[in-house]
PDB file of all heavy atoms in Angstrom:
ATOM      1  N   VAL A 305     332.630 204.457 227.309  1.00 78.00           N
ATOM      2  CA  VAL A 305     333.800 205.240 227.730  1.00 78.00           C
ATOM      3  C   VAL A 305     334.799 204.365 228.478  1.00 78.00           C
ATOM      4  O   VAL A 305     336.010 204.416 228.233  1.00 78.00           O
ATOM      5  CB  VAL A 305     333.370 206.442 228.598  1.00 78.00           C
ATOM      6  CG1 VAL A 305     334.590 207.183 229.136  1.00 78.00           C
ATOM      7  CG2 VAL A 305     332.498 207.386 227.784  1.00 78.00           C
ATOM      8  N   SER A 306     334.292 203.531 229.379  1.00 70.00           N
ATOM      9  CA  SER A 306     335.183 202.686 230.162  1.00 70.00           C
ATOM     10  C   SER A 306     335.841 201.628 229.293  1.00 70.00           C
ATOM     11  O   SER A 306     336.991 201.247 229.530  1.00 70.00           O
ATOM     12  CB  SER A 306     334.403 202.016 231.299  1.00 70.00           C
ATOM     13  OG  SER A 306     335.266 201.389 232.216  1.00 70.00           O
ATOM     14  N   SER A 307     335.145 201.146 228.270  1.00 69.00           N
ATOM     15  CA  SER A 307     335.733 200.169 227.354  1.00 69.00           C
ATOM     16  C   SER A 307     336.889 200.783 226.578  1.00 69.00           C
ATOM     17  O   SER A 307     337.903 200.128 226.321  1.00 69.00           O
ATOM     18  CB  SER A 307     334.681 199.658 226.371  1.00 69.00           C
ATOM     19  OG  SER A 307     333.662 198.954 227.033  1.00 69.00           O
ATOM     20  N   CYS A 308     336.730 202.043 226.194  1.00 78.00           N
ATOM     21  CA  CYS A 308     337.745 202.699 225.365  1.00 78.00           C
ATOM     22  C   CYS A 308     338.923 203.226 226.190  1.00 78.00           C
ATOM     23  O   CYS A 308     340.075 203.093 225.787  1.00 78.00           O
ATOM     24  CB  CYS A 308     337.119 203.843 224.578  1.00 78.00           C
ATOM     25  SG  CYS A 308     335.955 203.329 223.295  1.00 78.00           S
ATOM     26  N   ILE A 309     338.623 203.860 227.317  1.00 77.00           N
ATOM     27  CA  ILE A 309     339.699 204.446 228.118  1.00 77.00           C
ATOM     28  C   ILE A 309     340.347 203.348 228.948  1.00 77.00           C
ATOM     29  O   ILE A 309     339.874 202.988 230.018  1.00 77.00           O
ATOM     30  CB  ILE A 309     339.180 205.579 229.023  1.00 77.00           C
ATOM     31  CG1 ILE A 309     338.661 206.727 228.175  1.00 77.00           C
ATOM     32  CG2 ILE A 309     340.299 206.078 229.934  1.00 77.00           C
ATOM     33  CD1 ILE A 309     338.173 207.911 228.968  1.00 77.00           C
ATOM     34  N   GLY A 310     341.410 202.807 228.405  1.00 71.00           N
ATOM     35  CA  GLY A 310     342.171 201.793 229.115  1.00 71.00           C
ATOM     36  C   GLY A 310     343.622 202.213 229.152  1.00 71.00           C
ATOM     37  O   GLY A 310     343.954 203.303 229.611  1.00 71.00           O
ATOM     38  N   SER A 311     344.483 201.400 228.612  1.00 69.00           N
ATOM     39  CA  SER A 311     345.905 201.732 228.617  1.00 69.00           C
ATOM     40  C   SER A 311     346.253 202.762 227.555  1.00 69.00           C
ATOM     41  O   SER A 311     347.212 203.525 227.701  1.00 69.00           O
ATOM     42  CB  SER A 311     346.716 200.460 228.384  1.00 69.00           C
ATOM     43  OG  SER A 311     346.380 199.882 227.127  1.00 69.00           O
ATOM     44  N   GLY A 312     345.462 202.813 226.467  1.00 78.00           N
ATOM     45  CA  GLY A 312     345.812 203.633 225.316  1.00 78.00           C
ATOM     46  C   GLY A 312     345.992 205.102 225.620  1.00 78.00           C
ATOM     47  O   GLY A 312     346.969 205.719 225.194  1.00 78.00           O
ATOM     48  N   VAL A 313     345.074 205.707 226.370  1.00 85.00           N
ATOM     49  CA  VAL A 313     345.129 207.141 226.611  1.00 85.00           C
ATOM     50  C   VAL A 313     346.380 207.532 227.382  1.00 85.00           C
ATOM     51  O   VAL A 313     346.919 208.626 227.210  1.00 85.00           O
ATOM     52  CB  VAL A 313     343.846 207.610 227.353  1.00 85.00           C
ATOM     53  CG1 VAL A 313     343.778 207.009 228.754  1.00 85.00           C
ATOM     54  CG2 VAL A 313     343.799 209.125 227.421  1.00 85.00           C
ATOM     55  N   PHE A 314     346.886 206.659 228.227  1.00 86.00           N
ATOM     56  CA  PHE A 314     348.055 206.971 229.030  1.00 86.00           C
ATOM     57  C   PHE A 314     349.351 206.879 228.220  1.00 86.00           C
ATOM     58  O   PHE A 314     350.347 207.493 228.570  1.00 86.00           O
ATOM     59  CB  PHE A 314     348.131 206.034 230.238  1.00 86.00           C
ATOM     60  CG  PHE A 314     346.979 206.193 231.190  1.00 86.00           C
ATOM     61  CD1 PHE A 314     345.846 205.408 231.069  1.00 86.00           C
ATOM     62  CD2 PHE A 314     347.021 207.145 232.190  1.00 86.00           C
ATOM     63  CE1 PHE A 314     344.773 205.564 231.933  1.00 86.00           C
ATOM     64  CE2 PHE A 314     345.960 207.309 233.059  1.00 86.00           C
ATOM     65  CZ  PHE A 314     344.831 206.517 232.935  1.00 86.00           C
ATOM     66  N   ALA A 315     349.329 206.108 227.148  1.00 83.00           N
ATOM     67  CA  ALA A 315     350.517 205.963 226.299  1.00 83.00           C
ATOM     68  C   ALA A 315     350.456 206.864 225.070  1.00 83.00           C
ATOM     69  O   ALA A 315     351.467 207.038 224.386  1.00 83.00           O
ATOM     70  CB  ALA A 315     350.664 204.510 225.863  1.00 83.00           C
ATOM     71  N   PHE A 391     346.215 194.712 228.000  1.00 83.00           N
ATOM     72  CA  PHE A 391     345.943 195.294 229.319  1.00 83.00           C
ATOM     73  C   PHE A 391     346.814 194.646 230.394  1.00 83.00           C
ATOM     74  O   PHE A 391     347.335 195.325 231.280  1.00 83.00           O
ATOM     75  CB  PHE A 391     344.465 195.125 229.690  1.00 83.00           C
ATOM     76  CG  PHE A 391     343.522 195.871 228.802  1.00 83.00           C
ATOM     77  CD1 PHE A 391     342.266 195.356 228.522  1.00 83.00           C
ATOM     78  CD2 PHE A 391     343.870 197.081 228.236  1.00 83.00           C
ATOM     79  CE1 PHE A 391     341.381 196.044 227.706  1.00 83.00           C
ATOM     80  CE2 PHE A 391     343.004 197.776 227.417  1.00 83.00           C
ATOM     81  CZ  PHE A 391     341.755 197.247 227.146  1.00 83.00           C
ATOM     82  N   ILE A 394     350.487 196.075 230.143  1.00 81.00           N
ATOM     83  CA  ILE A 394     350.681 197.453 230.596  1.00 81.00           C
ATOM     84  C   ILE A 394     350.367 197.591 232.080  1.00 81.00           C
ATOM     85  O   ILE A 394     350.971 198.402 232.785  1.00 81.00           O
ATOM     86  CB  ILE A 394     349.814 198.429 229.763  1.00 81.00           C
ATOM     87  CG1 ILE A 394     350.333 199.866 229.889  1.00 81.00           C
ATOM     88  CG2 ILE A 394     348.359 198.358 230.153  1.00 81.00           C
ATOM     89  CD1 ILE A 394     351.648 200.115 229.201  1.00 81.00           C
ATOM     90  N   LYS A 447     338.281 206.837 236.748  1.00 73.00           N
ATOM     91  CA  LYS A 447     339.464 206.958 235.897  1.00 73.00           C
ATOM     92  C   LYS A 447     339.443 208.185 235.001  1.00 73.00           C
ATOM     93  O   LYS A 447     340.507 208.644 234.565  1.00 73.00           O
ATOM     94  CB  LYS A 447     339.658 205.697 235.067  1.00 73.00           C
ATOM     95  CG  LYS A 447     338.589 205.391 234.045  1.00 73.00           C
ATOM     96  CD  LYS A 447     338.891 204.027 233.436  1.00 73.00           C
ATOM     97  CE  LYS A 447     337.882 203.645 232.391  1.00 73.00           C
ATOM     98  NZ  LYS A 447     338.153 202.330 231.808  1.00 73.00           N
ATOM     99  N   ILE A 451     342.470 211.827 234.597  1.00 89.00           N
ATOM    100  CA  ILE A 451     342.888 212.274 233.268  1.00 89.00           C
ATOM    101  C   ILE A 451     342.534 213.747 233.079  1.00 89.00           C
ATOM    102  O   ILE A 451     343.307 214.522 232.504  1.00 89.00           O
ATOM    103  CB  ILE A 451     342.239 211.398 232.182  1.00 89.00           C
ATOM    104  CG1 ILE A 451     342.731 209.961 232.318  1.00 89.00           C
ATOM    105  CG2 ILE A 451     342.570 211.929 230.787  1.00 89.00           C
ATOM    106  CD1 ILE A 451     342.020 208.979 231.419  1.00 89.00           C
ATOM    107  N   TRP A 505     343.323 202.322 218.036  1.00 85.00           N
ATOM    108  CA  TRP A 505     343.352 201.441 219.211  1.00 85.00           C
ATOM    109  C   TRP A 505     342.605 202.077 220.376  1.00 85.00           C
ATOM    110  O   TRP A 505     341.932 201.407 221.147  1.00 85.00           O
ATOM    111  CB  TRP A 505     344.807 201.155 219.566  1.00 85.00           C
ATOM    112  CG  TRP A 505     345.101 200.809 221.002  1.00 85.00           C
ATOM    113  CD1 TRP A 505     345.790 201.577 221.896  1.00 85.00           C
ATOM    114  CD2 TRP A 505     344.748 199.609 221.708  1.00 85.00           C
ATOM    115  NE1 TRP A 505     345.890 200.937 223.111  1.00 85.00           N
ATOM    116  CE2 TRP A 505     345.262 199.732 223.027  1.00 85.00           C
ATOM    117  CE3 TRP A 505     344.056 198.450 221.372  1.00 85.00           C
ATOM    118  CZ2 TRP A 505     345.108 198.739 223.989  1.00 85.00           C
ATOM    119  CZ3 TRP A 505     343.898 197.458 222.340  1.00 85.00           C
ATOM    120  CH2 TRP A 505     344.410 197.607 223.626  1.00 85.00           C
ATOM    121  N   SER A 506     342.698 203.404 220.488  1.00 87.00           N
ATOM    122  CA  SER A 506     342.074 204.102 221.613  1.00 87.00           C
ATOM    123  C   SER A 506     340.552 204.091 221.548  1.00 87.00           C
ATOM    124  O   SER A 506     339.897 204.402 222.544  1.00 87.00           O
ATOM    125  CB  SER A 506     342.569 205.556 221.660  1.00 87.00           C
ATOM    126  OG  SER A 506     343.966 205.602 221.809  1.00 87.00           O
ATOM    127  N   ILE A 508     338.776 201.356 220.481  1.00 82.00           N
ATOM    128  CA  ILE A 508     338.214 200.012 220.595  1.00 82.00           C
ATOM    129  C   ILE A 508     337.334 199.955 221.835  1.00 82.00           C
ATOM    130  O   ILE A 508     337.761 200.293 222.938  1.00 82.00           O
ATOM    131  CB  ILE A 508     339.335 198.958 220.669  1.00 82.00           C
ATOM    132  CG1 ILE A 508     340.044 198.892 219.319  1.00 82.00           C
ATOM    133  CG2 ILE A 508     338.781 197.605 221.059  1.00 82.00           C
ATOM    134  CD1 ILE A 508     341.142 197.861 219.262  1.00 82.00           C
ATOM    135  N   LEU A 537     335.054 210.956 224.535  1.00 90.00           N
ATOM    136  CA  LEU A 537     336.359 210.369 224.264  1.00 90.00           C
ATOM    137  C   LEU A 537     337.250 211.290 223.439  1.00 90.00           C
ATOM    138  O   LEU A 537     338.449 211.428 223.725  1.00 90.00           O
ATOM    139  CB  LEU A 537     336.183 209.028 223.544  1.00 90.00           C
ATOM    140  CG  LEU A 537     335.615 207.894 224.399  1.00 90.00           C
ATOM    141  CD1 LEU A 537     335.159 206.745 223.520  1.00 90.00           C
ATOM    142  CD2 LEU A 537     336.648 207.408 225.409  1.00 90.00           C
ATOM    143  N   TYR A 541     340.853 212.493 224.650  1.00 93.00           N
ATOM    144  CA  TYR A 541     342.037 212.032 223.928  1.00 93.00           C
ATOM    145  C   TYR A 541     342.860 213.187 223.361  1.00 93.00           C
ATOM    146  O   TYR A 541     344.087 213.195 223.470  1.00 93.00           O
ATOM    147  CB  TYR A 541     341.635 211.095 222.795  1.00 93.00           C
ATOM    148  CG  TYR A 541     341.167 209.733 223.251  1.00 93.00           C
ATOM    149  CD1 TYR A 541     340.368 208.938 222.433  1.00 93.00           C
ATOM    150  CD2 TYR A 541     341.511 209.230 224.499  1.00 93.00           C
ATOM    151  CE1 TYR A 541     339.945 207.680 222.838  1.00 93.00           C
ATOM    152  CE2 TYR A 541     341.092 207.980 224.919  1.00 93.00           C
ATOM    153  CZ  TYR A 541     340.302 207.207 224.084  1.00 93.00           C
ATOM    154  OH  TYR A 541     339.893 205.966 224.496  1.00 93.00           O
ATOM    155  N   ALA A 584     345.709 205.808 238.606  1.00 82.00           N
ATOM    156  CA  ALA A 584     344.626 206.026 237.638  1.00 82.00           C
ATOM    157  C   ALA A 584     344.703 205.021 236.496  1.00 82.00           C
ATOM    158  O   ALA A 584     343.686 204.491 236.040  1.00 82.00           O
ATOM    159  CB  ALA A 584     344.698 207.452 237.089  1.00 82.00           C
ATOM    160  N   LEU A 585     345.918 204.740 236.028  1.00 84.00           N
ATOM    161  CA  LEU A 585     346.085 203.792 234.933  1.00 84.00           C
ATOM    162  C   LEU A 585     345.653 202.396 235.357  1.00 84.00           C
ATOM    163  O   LEU A 585     344.998 201.679 234.588  1.00 84.00           O
ATOM    164  CB  LEU A 585     347.547 203.778 234.472  1.00 84.00           C
ATOM    165  CG  LEU A 585     347.844 203.065 233.147  1.00 84.00           C
ATOM    166  CD1 LEU A 585     349.097 203.647 232.508  1.00 84.00           C
ATOM    167  CD2 LEU A 585     348.044 201.564 233.336  1.00 84.00           C
ATOM    168  N   ILE A 586     345.998 202.012 236.569  1.00 83.00           N
ATOM    169  CA  ILE A 586     345.603 200.692 237.063  1.00 83.00           C
ATOM    170  C   ILE A 586     344.087 200.568 237.103  1.00 83.00           C
ATOM    171  O   ILE A 586     343.505 199.568 236.664  1.00 83.00           O
ATOM    172  CB  ILE A 586     346.215 200.438 238.461  1.00 83.00           C
ATOM    173  CG1 ILE A 586     347.734 200.269 238.327  1.00 83.00           C
ATOM    174  CG2 ILE A 586     345.601 199.199 239.102  1.00 83.00           C
ATOM    175  CD1 ILE A 586     348.469 200.273 239.651  1.00 83.00           C
ATOM    176  N   VAL A 587     343.405 201.615 237.601  1.00 80.00           N
ATOM    177  CA  VAL A 587     341.942 201.612 237.635  1.00 80.00           C
ATOM    178  C   VAL A 587     341.380 201.559 236.217  1.00 80.00           C
ATOM    179  O   VAL A 587     340.432 200.818 235.930  1.00 80.00           O
ATOM    180  CB  VAL A 587     341.410 202.857 238.374  1.00 80.00           C
ATOM    181  CG1 VAL A 587     339.892 202.956 238.259  1.00 80.00           C
ATOM    182  CG2 VAL A 587     341.824 202.821 239.843  1.00 80.00           C
ATOM    183  N   ALA A 588     341.984 202.348 235.314  1.00 77.00           N
ATOM    184  CA  ALA A 588     341.507 202.399 233.934  1.00 77.00           C
ATOM    185  C   ALA A 588     341.624 201.047 233.255  1.00 77.00           C
ATOM    186  O   ALA A 588     340.694 200.581 232.584  1.00 77.00           O
ATOM    187  CB  ALA A 588     342.296 203.451 233.153  1.00 77.00           C
ATOM    188  N   VAL A 589     342.772 200.406 233.424  1.00 81.00           N
ATOM    189  CA  VAL A 589     342.994 199.108 232.782  1.00 81.00           C
ATOM    190  C   VAL A 589     342.043 198.057 233.346  1.00 81.00           C
ATOM    191  O   VAL A 589     341.465 197.261 232.598  1.00 81.00           O
ATOM    192  CB  VAL A 589     344.459 198.666 232.949  1.00 81.00           C
ATOM    193  CG1 VAL A 589     344.631 197.213 232.534  1.00 81.00           C
ATOM    194  CG2 VAL A 589     345.374 199.554 232.114  1.00 81.00           C
ATOM    195  N   LEU A 590     341.849 198.063 234.659  1.00 80.00           N
ATOM    196  CA  LEU A 590     340.930 197.087 235.257  1.00 80.00           C
ATOM    197  C   LEU A 590     339.506 197.302 234.746  1.00 80.00           C
ATOM    198  O   LEU A 590     338.773 196.341 234.486  1.00 80.00           O
ATOM    199  CB  LEU A 590     340.971 197.189 236.783  1.00 80.00           C
ATOM    200  CG  LEU A 590     342.265 196.691 237.440  1.00 80.00           C
ATOM    201  CD1 LEU A 590     342.225 196.966 238.932  1.00 80.00           C
ATOM    202  CD2 LEU A 590     342.478 195.209 237.172  1.00 80.00           C
ATOM    203  N   GLY A 591     339.112 198.570 234.582  1.00 74.00           N
ATOM    204  CA  GLY A 591     337.772 198.855 234.061  1.00 74.00           C
ATOM    205  C   GLY A 591     337.603 198.370 232.636  1.00 74.00           C
ATOM    206  O   GLY A 591     336.594 197.755 232.284  1.00 74.00           O
ATOM    207  N   SER A 592     338.607 198.640 231.785  1.00 74.00           N
ATOM    208  CA  SER A 592     338.528 198.179 230.399  1.00 74.00           C
ATOM    209  C   SER A 592     338.612 196.663 230.322  1.00 74.00           C
ATOM    210  O   SER A 592     337.957 196.035 229.493  1.00 74.00           O
ATOM    211  CB  SER A 592     339.665 198.802 229.584  1.00 74.00           C
ATOM    212  OG  SER A 592     339.414 200.153 229.329  1.00 74.00           O
ATOM    213  N   TRP A 593     339.415 196.080 231.185  1.00 82.00           N
ATOM    214  CA  TRP A 593     339.540 194.628 231.229  1.00 82.00           C
ATOM    215  C   TRP A 593     338.186 194.003 231.558  1.00 82.00           C
ATOM    216  O   TRP A 593     337.786 192.984 230.981  1.00 82.00           O
ATOM    217  CB  TRP A 593     340.569 194.240 232.283  1.00 82.00           C
ATOM    218  CG  TRP A 593     341.215 192.905 232.094  1.00 82.00           C
ATOM    219  CD1 TRP A 593     340.716 191.844 231.398  1.00 82.00           C
ATOM    220  CD2 TRP A 593     342.479 192.487 232.618  1.00 82.00           C
ATOM    221  NE1 TRP A 593     341.583 190.777 231.472  1.00 82.00           N
ATOM    222  CE2 TRP A 593     342.683 191.150 232.206  1.00 82.00           C
ATOM    223  CE3 TRP A 593     343.453 193.098 233.404  1.00 82.00           C
ATOM    224  CZ2 TRP A 593     343.822 190.428 232.567  1.00 82.00           C
ATOM    225  CZ3 TRP A 593     344.582 192.382 233.748  1.00 82.00           C
ATOM    226  CH2 TRP A 593     344.761 191.058 233.328  1.00 82.00           C
ATOM    227  N   PHE A 596     336.082 194.309 228.417  1.00 77.00           N
ATOM    228  CA  PHE A 596     336.546 193.417 227.365  1.00 77.00           C
ATOM    229  C   PHE A 596     336.378 191.955 227.743  1.00 77.00           C
ATOM    230  O   PHE A 596     336.652 191.068 226.939  1.00 77.00           O
ATOM    231  CB  PHE A 596     338.002 193.714 227.019  1.00 77.00           C
ATOM    232  CG  PHE A 596     338.173 194.820 226.017  1.00 77.00           C
ATOM    233  CD1 PHE A 596     337.639 196.071 226.254  1.00 77.00           C
ATOM    234  CD2 PHE A 596     338.847 194.597 224.835  1.00 77.00           C
ATOM    235  CE1 PHE A 596     337.790 197.096 225.338  1.00 77.00           C
ATOM    236  CE2 PHE A 596     338.994 195.611 223.912  1.00 77.00           C
ATOM    237  CZ  PHE A 596     338.464 196.877 224.157  1.00 77.00           C
ATOM    238  N   TYR A 651     353.147 194.336 224.230  1.00 68.00           N
ATOM    239  CA  TYR A 651     352.075 195.332 224.253  1.00 68.00           C
ATOM    240  C   TYR A 651     351.766 195.850 222.855  1.00 68.00           C
ATOM    241  O   TYR A 651     350.613 195.855 222.420  1.00 68.00           O
ATOM    242  CB  TYR A 651     352.454 196.488 225.176  1.00 68.00           C
ATOM    243  CG  TYR A 651     351.409 197.581 225.219  1.00 68.00           C
ATOM    244  CD1 TYR A 651     350.183 197.366 225.834  1.00 68.00           C
ATOM    245  CD2 TYR A 651     351.645 198.818 224.621  1.00 68.00           C
ATOM    246  CE1 TYR A 651     349.216 198.364 225.865  1.00 68.00           C
ATOM    247  CE2 TYR A 651     350.686 199.825 224.657  1.00 68.00           C
ATOM    248  CZ  TYR A 651     349.474 199.587 225.270  1.00 68.00           C
ATOM    249  OH  TYR A 651     348.523 200.575 225.292  1.00 68.00           O
TER     250      TYR A 651
END
Side-chain angles (χ1 to χ4, degrees):
V305 175
S306 191
S307 296
C308 292
I309 296 182
S311 60
V313 66
F314 296 92
F391 295 147
I394 199 70
K447 65 186 181 181
I451 297 172
W505 154 249
S506 300
I508 291 182
L537 289 166
Y541 288 158
L585 192 154
I586 291 169
V587 173
V589 169
L590 290 175
S592 286
W593 204 337
F596 275 56
Y651 178 70

